[in-house]
Amino acid sequence: MKRPVEILVDADACPVKEEIYKVAFRYETPVTVVANQPIRVPRHELIRRVTVTDGYDAADDHVAELAHPLAVVITADILLAERCLKKDAAVLNPRGEPFTKDSIGGAIAARALMADLRAGAEGAGGGPPPFQKADRSRFLQALDESLVRLKRQS
């Protein structure tokens, strides 16, 4: 049986859940929200919440297991993005930037470099810049474009 176009969300720290629901409702696209702890989701037939055990990478493992060529995966986790790309899923980060098979190697290398720098620098900060309104707008546009493309393929 062919799987439908769907959105899979690595939800624990996802800042764009409301935007995801808005786009999903517009396109009547199912959403699976995966988290390590119970989180609020709209009561709607298109939204499914999955709470996994608190084991290390349990949410990532579940999202990767669900990934398929007609899925859009939303995650900021570069290693999860790589796993989903290997299953031919479309992958976006919460800022609307796509992970692709061409870009994932560089993203993994940059992640490793930053981890090394943080480990070697006492008191070094890290992480992405603060989330901005423009990031939400870029995300909405990227998710919209991804869903349109996948629905044409299905």
Side-chain angles (χ1 to χ4, degrees):
M1 186 171 115
K2 190 174 177 181
R3 295 178 85 167
V5 172
E6 65 180 321
I7 301 168
L8 306 173
V9 184
D10 178 14
D12 283 314
C14 181
V16 290
K17 290 187 282 291
E18 294 303 319
E19 289 80 359
I20 292 167
Y21 305 143
K22 183 187 304 185
V23 173
F25 295 154
R26 183 177 337 131
Y27 287 103
E28 298 182 357
T29 302
V31 177
T32 301
V33 178
V34 183
N36 287 324
Q37 57 192 352
I39 60 171
R40 275 194 175 166
V41 299
R43 293 184 82 138
H44 193 281
E45 64 188 16
L46 289 174
I47 310 297
R48 181 171 72 109
R49 177 182 61 195
V50 177
T51 305
V52 296
T53 65
D54 59 353
Y56 185 74
D57 281 343
D60 292 357
D61 291 344
H62 194 76
V63 171
E65 182 181 314
L66 295 174
H68 60 91
L70 292 177
V72 179
V73 176
I74 311 302
T75 185
D77 184 314
I78 295 168
L79 298 180
L80 173 58
E82 179 187 37
R83 293 169 67 187
C84 295
L85 287 169
K86 286 179 180 177
K87 295 179 90 176
D88 294 324
V91 184
L92 296 173
N93 74 18
R95 295 179 187 274
E97 299 159 341
F99 290 107
T100 67
K101 290 181 178 179
D102 291 335
S103 70
I104 196 67
I108 291 170
R111 176 187 180 275
L113 176 64
M114 293 307 294
D116 287 348
L117 290 173
R118 283 191 299 272
E122 200 172 303
F131 206 74
Q132 304 290 326
K133 186 175 181 179
D135 296 320
R136 289 185 195 286
S137 177
R138 189 172 39 255
F139 174 79
L140 282 166
Q141 182 176 353
L143 180 57
D144 189 89
E145 290 170 358
S146 294
L147 288 175
V148 167
R149 186 180 73 256
L150 289 177
K151 286 187 180 269
R152 283 189 193 133
Q153 292 175 6
S154 66

